[in-house]
Amino acid sequence: MMQMVTIKKPVNRQAAVAARALAAKRVKAAATRKRRRIKQTLDRFIVVAIGTNASGTPKATTGWTASLRAGTTTVTADFDEFGVVRFPTITTLTTVAYLLTLRDENGATIRSFNVPSDREFFVARF
């Protein structure tokens, strides 16, 4: 019967200790590294008015206006024919919550929405 013999190689203890220390240093460096979240700032806030149908087609908004109110400040802008209104004086991400009011070509209020803060755009579905 044949017996298995295990041959041990000599261990360079200094190299093994150095490798462990390097691995520990890498783990510690990775643990302390923080990920930065990139916040994008755009130069205008955009609202899109779409229908509630399954295809989500834009509303016919020629002559419509929209106003955003935060506290005592109100900003008004006109819709284009594609259901989009741009507020060039409001940068994003927004820092406050707004009340969005949509008005038709006669000035009658169609719908109001609460727009939360930290938004780049808002989709008004109605």
Side-chain angles (χ1 to χ4, degrees), residues 54-65:
S55 64
T57 56
K59 295 276 191 176
T61 55
T62 303
W64 289 18
T65 60

Side-chain angles (χ1 to χ4, degrees), residues 15-31:
V17 170
R20 283 189 199 127
L22 183 61
K25 189 176 181 181
R26 285 184 187 152
V27 168
K28 185 177 179 183

Side-chain angles (χ1 to χ4, degrees), residues 4-64:
M4 285 191 98
V5 177
T6 306
I7 301 174
K8 292 187 177 182
K9 294 183 180 179
V11 176
N12 184 345
R13 290 189 188 268
Q14 214 173 20
V17 170
R20 283 189 199 127
L22 183 61
K25 189 176 181 181
R26 285 184 187 152
V27 168
K28 185 177 179 183
T32 59
R33 190 178 313 154
K34 294 181 181 178
R35 297 182 101 187
R36 289 187 318 148
R37 182 171 182 228
I38 298 171
K39 289 189 174 186
Q40 185 175 11
T41 302
L42 303 175
D43 62 348
R44 63 186 155 271
F45 184 71
I46 297 175
V47 175
V48 181
I50 62 171
T52 56
N53 58 5
S55 64
T57 56
K59 295 276 191 176
T61 55
T62 303
W64 289 18

Side-chain angles (χ1 to χ4, degrees), residues 69-92:
R69 189 175 74 207
T72 59
T73 305
T74 303
V75 179
T76 303
D78 296 327
F79 274 94
D80 62 11
E81 64 271 14
F82 303 108
V84 177
V85 62
R86 298 184 317 167
F87 293 93
T89 58
I90 299 176
T91 58
T92 62

Side-chain angles (χ1 to χ4, degrees), residues 109-123:
T109 299
I110 300 169
R111 186 85 193 267
S112 293
F113 298 93
N114 289 316
V115 180
S117 61
D118 294 329
R119 300 290 181 244
E120 293 179 16
F121 64 92
F122 185 75
V123 177

